[in-house]
Structure formats: structure tokens, C-alpha cells
Amino acid sequence: MTRLFNDPAAFADEALEGFAAAHRRWVRPVPGGVVRAAATPAGQVAVVIGGGSGHYPAFSGLVGRGLAHGAAVGNVFASPSARQIHSVAEAAHGGAGVLLMYGNYAGDVLHFGQAAERLAADGVETRTFAVADDISSAAPDESAKRRGIAGDLPVFKAAAAAAEQGLPLEQVLRVAERAGARTRSFGIAFSGCTLPGADRPLFTVPEARMAVGLGIHGEPGIGEEALPTADEAAGLLVGTLLKELPEDVTGPEGQRAAVILNGLGSVKYEELFVVYRRVAALLGEAGVEIVDPEVGELVTSFDMAGVSLTLTWLDDRLEELWRAPADTPAYRKGALGVPRPDQDRDPAPVTAAVQDDAVPPASDASREAAATVLAALDAVARVVDTHAGELGRIDAVAGDGDHGIGMRRGSTAARRAATDAHGLGAGAGTVLTRAADAWADKAGGTSGALWGTILRSLGTALGDRDAPDARRIAEGVAEASAAVRRLGGAEVGDKTMVDVLVPFADALRAATADGLPLTDAWDRAAATATGAAAATAELLPRRGRARPHAEKSLGTPDAGAHSLALITRAVHGALLNH
């Protein structure tokens, strides 16, 4: 378990602060993460990687010459927000464009995609690439749905080495695509991990058993087997990966592979070496030439006891990039020459963006409505705090168990931002949009992106000029529903929050069209939401981290759907009082 922390909510920020202080030779802190200590050379593509905290040395430890130009770092097991990613990419940009790289998780896809759109709007040519190497998380014909685990490293390194050689953005992206298509990983674990401040691990493994095919966010494995010997574990890892080769690799005989035996957090290096001796022997017997193997902790999951094996099948070009030198706080290879003068120049200082105290002008009616909005956000934060443990337990059945933590971070930050904006005399729309940005920033992950979208859609609908009436609020909720579906791609039946948001929005619009006052209309719609959330217990998840464990979730409602239903009821209470 994690023993050394202060406030669990501040853990990720404090860890990043300490990391940057300890590694000033390589990195400097910027809002949202870190970038190289020296500026990106003019004309060089900037490779910006990122993801949640809890995976060190991924992602901040891989920033330095020969590897990433910057890393955006989110909260524990939660993707960084679009604003954090944008900030890091802006600081890393050297004038030749930015490649954003991350593991293939819904929250990362959403936030990095939004950041790419913002960078493009700023005139920065940007591309994105999601690493999807975990063969246990989807079948070969659905490889685009696979998670990104320890295969992040060889794919990141290939792209970054290509950028270091001066290749243009499109060619750097093609290198990433080639490396990603030739990378496969598979993992096992003997115990789950415990997040800072939590009193139990996200999942447990029975005595003398191991979980097979797990992720790096505390997700349980797709199955269990008897606890193996080191040689048996090596046989399982190698045998599983050799069963699935890239399309252009007809067999392992005569092939070259970059090999990574990765410790997930609490397996000792000596244990890894015992396993690796058999991994090397088995690959040799299969005719595979091992190129520059790596054995150690490279993509971890806090204190999880487990290992994963990654194979990147090399061609001449990928081997050149894999062998290329790198110098970062946590990963070093070969020797780099003396930096060019433009690499050694002092970068422009980067400071945190300061929220302008000024707020847009608002009518008295809108400022009065803002007080109700603030009361509603306070009710949201209180109900989330009350049920955070329950939400985490529901989420842990088939997911990673952090839904309650993320919702608490987001709702608390939204309430604080809304309070500040209301104190400055903001109207209802501005109070909601300030709350939206704060929720997305502090929560990260999929829920952060989606709740940021919900609040922003409502804020746009309400505006700062007029007193919002029931129909306008209903239209705002309907637009939020549509925006969430556009952004996340989920539809009713996928076992997500959409299974509640859509019927809630439809019921609210129908009730207001019938002429019901807002409190009555909201009450009717909240009852619909409660029923819809309960009904998700009978659905199989088709999206998100629960999808690989679909059968386990039967009988349990979706955590995001359940939290939304609780929130709709809490907001009704606030409306009654205002």
C-alpha cells in the first residue's frame, strides 16, 4: 500500500513537484507536467506523451533527449485534462508541430483529442497516436480497442528518435504507427494496488492464485490461474505473445524483437531476472533474436505485484530507432553528443495561466440564477462526497475502482471555481463554464471530460443575460446529452452514463413541454434517471475499462450512470430550496 502521502488529493501534484526538483538536469516543470530542461531545437517535431500518475517512470521519467520532449501528467490513474496537455505541448513546441502520444484509454483519447483541436486552432500542426498493445484487452480483429500498457515505451521511443533525426511530423507519425502495429504485451499479477488514502486494494487475488491479462490501472485480470513458478510464468508470457504475431511476421524464426520484461510495482528486480533468464531461453528456442532487452520497472501500477512482457518485432528501421541513444531521468541508452547551441539555449519561461478576475457582464436576473447554480453545484459536491466510497466499489467490480475519487476531485473543484466566479458577480453561464473547466482539469479521465462537457453545454445554453426558464434549461440538458454522445461515442445500451443522460434529458424536455414548472419537471426526470441507472445492472459494457470484464459487471449498475442519477436527485433538492 501507499504509506507516504499528505492529502491524498494532492498526491499527484506533490509527486510531480518533487520529481521536477530532483531532476533539474533533464526537466523543468510547466503547468500540467514537465518538458525538457532545454528548449526543443528549432524545426524539430515535439513528441509529447502523457497519462495518469501512478505509473512512474511513465510518463514524466521519460522526458529528455532521445525520448519525449514533454509529458502531461494527470491525477492518479486519470488522464491529464485537455488544458494540461495543451499547456505542456505549447511549452514543448519547437516550430515543427507536435505529436501527442498516450495509452489507449477513453479518458486519454478524449482529452488528448480536445488538446489537439485547441493546438490546431492556435496554428500548431498536431497529430495524435494511441498505443494499443495489450492483447488481453481485445481480440485481434478489435485491436483498436486494446489498452496501452508497457508497449508505450518502445512506441514512444521510436517516434521520439525519429523526431530527434529531424523527420517531419507526418513521417514521425508513420514511425509511431509502424512501431505500434508491431508491439504486443501481456501481463500477470499476484495482488492489486492500493491508491493513496485508500484502505483496500482496487482488486484482490486469492491466495496461491494469479490474475491473468490485467491492465495498469488496477483493473482485475480477465482470468485466474494457479500461482506459477518463475519458469512457468515465463512460459505463459512468451507462449501467449508468440501466438499472435503482426500480420507481416509469418513466424518467430529468424525475427528480431525488442524485449521488455516490466515490473508493475512490487516485484523485485532479482525476481524479474529469474523470470527473464527463462524468457530469453524460450525466445531463443523459437528462433527470435533479442535486441537490447530491458528488464525493470518501466510502466508501473503503484504497488501492484505483477509483471508484463512486451515484444516489439523489429525491422531495420525500427531496430535503428530502438538502439538510438536516449538520456532521461529514468531511461538512458548509449551516448549522446554535445547539444547543438540552439538545444542549449535557455527556454522561454513558462508560468501558470492566471484566471482573469474579471467576469463578463451579466444581468441582475442571471446573477440571481447564478446563486441557484452555485447551490446546485454545492449539492452535487456533497452527494458525490457522501457516495464516493460506494461509487468506487461499484467501479471496481469490472473497472479500476477510481470513479468515486475522480468524481470527488472534479465536483469539489467545480464548486470552488463556481464560488469564486459567483463572488465576482458572474452570471449563471459564466459560473457554469468556470466550473466546467475546473471539473475537467482536476478530475481528468473520462468522467472529467464528460462532466466538463455537460457543465459547459449548460453554461452556453443559460448565458449571462436572461433569467433561464424551464424550457431553456431543458434544451441545455438536451444539448449536453448530444455533446456527450458526440465526444465519447457511446450510445444507449453501452452501459455508460449515456444510459441515464439520454432518458433524463428526454424526460425533462417532455415535462417542460407539458408546461410543468422546473422543480416538478426535474423531479419527474430524476425519477426516470434513477430507474435508468438501476437498469444498467442488466447490461454488458461495450465501452471503457469495464469492457474486457463484461461478464463480471452483470448485476451491478454502471458507476457513471449511478453517479449521474444521484446527482440529478441532489440537484432537485437544491432547486426546491431556491
Side-chain angles (χ1 to χ4, degrees), residues 22-338:
H23 296 291
R24 295 188 187 279
R25 170 186 152 192
W26 291 276
V27 302
R28 59 189 173 98
V30 297
V34 294
V35 296
R36 293 186 190 180
T40 299
Q44 186 176 110
V45 171
V47 174
V48 173
I49 64 176
S53 298
H55 304 302
Y56 190 84
F59 296 88
S60 55
L62 303 179
V63 174
R65 292 173 61 205
L67 236 161
H69 297 76
V73 182
N75 261 304
V76 176
F77 290 177
S79 66
S81 70
R83 185 154 60 175
Q84 289 175 295
I85 299 160
H86 180 276
S87 168
V88 173
E90 187 178 45
H93 184 223
V98 174
L99 176 60
L100 301 176
M101 302 186 72
Y102 46 91
N104 190 32
Y105 297 91
D108 294 281
V109 171
L110 293 178
H111 287 290
F112 277 90
Q114 290 177 327
E117 292 174 357
R118 296 182 191 181
L119 288 163
D122 293 342
V124 178
E125 190 176 8
T126 307
R127 300 291 183 272
T128 64
F129 184 77
V131 181
D133 58 302
D134 176 19
I135 69 171
S136 70
S137 54
D141 60 349
E142 292 187 307
S143 58
K145 296 180 180 179
R146 288 177 167 173
R147 302 177 289 212
I149 53 175
D152 285 353
L153 174 61
V155 181
F156 291 169
K157 188 175 186 304
E164 203 82 34
Q165 293 175 348
L167 270 63
L169 180 58
E170 289 300 333
Q171 291 186 34
V172 174
L173 174 61
R174 283 198 290 273
V175 166
E177 292 169 342
R178 176 69 168 167
R182 285 179 150 245
T183 299
R184 307 283 188 277
S185 299
F186 184 71
I188 58 177
F190 318 110
S191 71
C193 56
T194 305
L195 304 187
D199 58 1
R200 60 174 63 91
L202 292 176
F203 73 92
T204 58
V205 181
E207 191 73 23
R209 303 283 290 177
M210 73 172 174
V212 176
L214 65 150
I216 57 169
H217 295 94
E219 309 99 319
I222 59 174
E224 286 182 4
E225 295 186 11
L227 187 67
T229 64
D231 284 0
E232 289 168 345
L236 174 64
L237 294 168
V238 172
T240 302
L241 290 180
L242 290 185
K243 289 177 183 176
E244 187 189 316
L245 302 175
E247 290 183 0
D248 56 351
V249 176
T250 57
E253 183 73 31
Q255 298 293 331
R256 293 164 287 167
V259 178
I260 298 173
L261 183 64
N262 175 61
L264 284 164
S266 62
V267 174
K268 304 304 295 182
Y269 272 67
E270 287 87 348
E271 296 174 89
L272 293 174
F273 292 136
V274 172
V275 175
Y276 182 75
R277 53 174 274 285
R278 186 58 181 159
V279 167
L282 290 171
L283 289 173
E285 291 169 9
V288 179
E289 177 187 349
I290 297 173
V291 178
D292 279 7
E294 297 286 350
V295 179
E297 293 185 349
L298 295 159
V299 180
T300 60
S301 184
F302 262 111
D303 59 334
M304 185 186 292
V307 299
S308 64
L309 182 66
T310 298
L311 301 180
T312 297
W313 299 93
L314 303 172
D315 54 22
D316 289 344
R317 179 65 171 137
L318 290 177
E319 180 174 347
E320 174 194 0
L321 298 170
W322 175 242
R323 291 186 183 274
D327 183 25
T328 78
Y331 186 86
R332 299 168 204 172
K333 178 179 285 189
L336 286 160
V338 177

Side-chain angles (χ1 to χ4, degrees), residues 351-371:
T351 57
V354 178
Q355 177 75 62
D356 187 356
D357 280 347
V359 295
S363 67
D364 291 342
S366 184
R367 283 196 291 269
E368 184 177 348

Side-chain angles (χ1 to χ4, degrees), residues 392-454:
R393 287 190 293 275
I394 293 173
D395 190 36
V397 170
D400 55 12
D402 68 347
H403 184 68
I405 296 171
M407 289 291 289
R408 177 186 278 151
R409 284 194 301 247
S411 60
T412 300
R415 176 174 59 188
R416 185 180 305 116
T419 300
D420 292 344
H422 181 252
L424 295 170
T430 295
V431 166
L432 278 164
T433 54
R434 294 275 176 97
D437 288 342
W439 192 314
D441 273 355
K442 291 301 182 183
T446 306
S447 67
L450 298 182
W451 273 99
T453 297
I454 289 170

